């Protein structure tokens, strides 16, 4: 995936043990690790991703709210 070990650890810390797949999907969608605590409709990005919401769905929700999830 092209992640440094420290970056992978940060993704896993943010989104759980399935961090590799979620990190890949987020990177593909353009969602930055720094956006994990952004609240969208009352739920943080990382909670939405942990709950199974696809990264592109989270991105669309953020766009609809006028929020940027990229660095």
């Amino acid at each position: 995936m092209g992640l440094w070990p420290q970056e992978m650890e940060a993704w896993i810390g943010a989104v759980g043990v399935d961090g590799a797949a979620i990190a890949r999907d987020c990177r593909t969608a353009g969602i930055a690790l720094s956006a994990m605590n952004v609240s969208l409709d009352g739920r943080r990005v990382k909670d939405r991703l942990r709950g199974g919401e696809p990264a592109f769905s989270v991105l669309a929700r953020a766009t609809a709210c006028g929020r940027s999830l990229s660095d």
Side-chain angles (χ1 to χ4, degrees), residues 3-5 7-8 10 14-15 19-20 22-23 28 32 35 38 41-42 46-47 51-54 58 63 69-70:
L3 297 175
W4 292 95
E7 186 178 1
M8 191 72 228
V15 293
I22 292 172
T28 300
V38 171
D41 298 328
K46 67 181 176 183
D47 295 329
E53 187 170 340
V58 173
T63 300
L69 299 181
S70 62

Side-chain angles (χ1 to χ4, degrees), residues 8 13 18 21 29 48 55:
M8 191 72 228
D18 195 26
R48 291 181 173 285

Side-chain angles (χ1 to χ4, degrees), residues 12-58:
I12 290 171
V15 293
V17 294
D18 195 26
I22 292 172
R24 180 197 64 232
D25 294 347
C26 286
R27 288 172 57 111
T28 300
I31 299 173
L33 179 58
S34 60
M36 293 298 108
N37 286 317
V38 171
S39 181
L40 300 172
D41 298 328
R43 289 184 63 207
R44 294 179 298 180
V45 169
K46 67 181 176 183
D47 295 329
R48 291 181 173 285
L49 294 167
R50 283 179 182 165
E53 187 170 340
F56 279 105
S57 175
V58 173

